[in-house]
Amino acid sequence: MERVRRASHAGSWYTNNARKLDEELDGWLRAAGLTNHAGYSYSGRCAAYAFGNIDPTNISRVFLLGPSHHYYTPKCALTRATIYSTPIGDLPVDHEVIEELNATGKFDFMDLSVDEAEHSMEMHLPYLSKVFQGHNVKVVPILVGALNSQNEAMYGQLLSKYLDDPKNFFSISSDFCHWGTRFSYTYYDKSHGAIHKSIEALDRMGMEIIETGNPDAFKQYLQEYENTICGRHPISVFLSMLKHCSTKIKIGFVRYEQSSQCKSMRDSSVSYASAAAKVDTPAEEEKD
């Protein structure tokens, strides 16, 4: 039976006008120079720098890992939907892989209402629909809950075999620092000057640690600075996957932006960072 996950954030977080959305994505991908939770108005341009790295020709499956903002689970949850809809085209869910993952006994299922309430993976869907236009690709959406370190490592090990298949692509969803009293986070190191400079230094420290591919170092960074990176669990799972897979993969950040520049303690901002992870061989098969 067909179960469609609606593009529930279209019309609010990004435009639901197919022509306008297509034009926006085209523009951002071109501007990336690659051959606030106000959605795309802030994050869309930044995301283009990562999605512009994708070569869709040899990819047949996209794993989507996104954090859970509204629904508490200490595990990872799989979708019950058969189709993920976007204003510019639908993406079929790979149910063979969903069943394979479910058979491990390590995953929960999320109801369609939970799925549609969550924006983290949906924000990647129009880009995927755009980049993979004309190609047969299926998606494997995985909602990553509030995992402890042991579970991050366990899911990383479990998913690592999929990372070794060059036909698979991984898309990891996360914002970076959410700064301000409304986010209950006001870390400020005055040695960097203005508040927004301190936020950038903090974010870049985290980005450099992620680039090393070391999940333990990333965990230590989060414990020390408590940076409000909403996708810390999906990122940690991905770093654990790198540790366990046999393919050598190198992560490189390609873009960093802030929704606004904080200058006083009354201000607030959300940071956005895009990275592309590529197979570290002369052939350079590409993953995100």
Side-chain angles (χ1 to χ4, degrees):
M1 191 180 79
E2 194 174 272
R3 286 185 300 277
V4 178
R5 184 206 182 277
R6 296 172 303 120
S8 48
H9 293 76
S12 52
W13 289 51
Y14 59 98
T15 180
N16 56 3
N17 179 307
R19 185 181 56 79
K20 193 177 173 203
L21 180 59
D22 200 53
E23 284 172 2
E24 279 182 352
L25 296 172
D26 260 339
W28 286 323
L29 287 164
R30 273 201 307 274
L34 298 156
T35 297
N36 96 35
H37 289 106
Y40 275 174
S41 63
Y42 291 130
S43 66
R45 181 179 55 188
C46 189
Y49 286 81
F51 287 107
N53 276 279
I54 301 172
D55 176 3
T57 47
N58 299 313
I59 295 164
S60 55
R61 187 183 295 115
V62 176
F63 285 78
L64 265 169
L65 273 64
S68 181
H69 286 85
H70 312 292
Y71 171 74
Y72 176 78
T73 173
K75 298 163 81 173
C76 284
L78 304 168
T79 185
R80 294 186 189 277
T82 57
I83 287 170
Y84 267 40
S85 185
T86 87
I88 56 169
D90 295 344
L91 294 158
V93 171
D94 191 326
H95 262 272
E96 277 181 38
V97 175
I98 295 284
E99 288 308 319
E100 203 174 280
L101 294 174
N102 183 40
T104 65
K106 304 291 186 188
F107 292 83
D108 283 338
F109 273 100
M110 55 176 157
D111 290 337
L112 199 58
S113 59
V114 170
D115 204 336
E116 290 184 346
E118 181 52 60
H119 62 267
S120 66
M121 292 185 282
E122 183 178 333
M123 300 309 286
H124 285 209
L125 297 175
Y127 264 117
L128 294 172
S129 190
K130 175 76 181 163
V131 170
F132 287 98
Q133 230 158 26
H135 296 85
N136 286 327
V137 71
K138 290 183 176 181
V139 293
V140 181
I142 301 173
L143 186 74
V144 180
L147 309 183
N148 60 28
S149 300
Q150 290 78 13
N151 280 344
E152 285 170 352
M154 179 269 289
Y155 285 113
Q157 192 166 1
L158 193 149
L159 292 167
S160 62
K161 70 168 188 173
Y162 297 101
L163 197 55
D164 280 325
D165 182 346
K167 289 191 174 69
N168 290 336
F169 177 86
F170 279 80
S171 191
I172 315 299
S173 175
S174 180
D175 295 336
F176 258 67
C177 185
H178 295 55
W179 195 93
T181 51
R182 70 191 184 104
F183 299 118
S184 305
Y185 187 74
T186 51
Y187 172 86
Y188 179 27
D189 179 347
K190 292 182 173 62
S191 69
H192 292 289
I195 293 170
H196 65 90
K197 293 283 190 190
S198 166
I199 295 168
E200 180 167 352
L202 178 70
D203 280 336
R204 289 200 181 275
M205 192 194 309
M207 289 154 69
E208 282 168 21
I209 289 166
I210 290 168
E211 285 180 337
T212 68
N214 185 334
D216 299 325
F218 184 54
K219 181 64 64 186
Q220 200 176 335
Y221 161 80
L222 291 171
Q223 281 170 352
E224 191 171 340
Y225 295 99
E226 299 181 330
N227 193 355
T228 44
I229 299 170
C230 62
R232 57 194 175 277
H233 298 301
I235 292 169
S236 296
V237 169
F238 186 70
L239 294 178
S240 291
M241 285 163 58
L242 298 186
K243 197 172 163 183
H244 289 104
C245 71
S246 54
T247 313
K248 191 165 165 47
I249 291 168
K250 192 167 172 49
I251 301 172
F253 276 85
V254 290
R255 186 73 173 180
Y256 175 78
E257 294 185 12
Q258 293 175 352
S259 62
S260 60
Q261 294 200 329
C262 294
K263 296 186 172 83
S264 86
M265 298 308 276
R266 293 185 305 278
D267 296 336
S268 65
S269 74
V270 177
S271 307
Y272 302 98
S274 287
K278 303 182 182 184
V279 176
D280 201 9
T281 65
E284 285 229 315
E285 294 167 56
E286 295 176 355
K287 293 187 190 289
D288 175 310

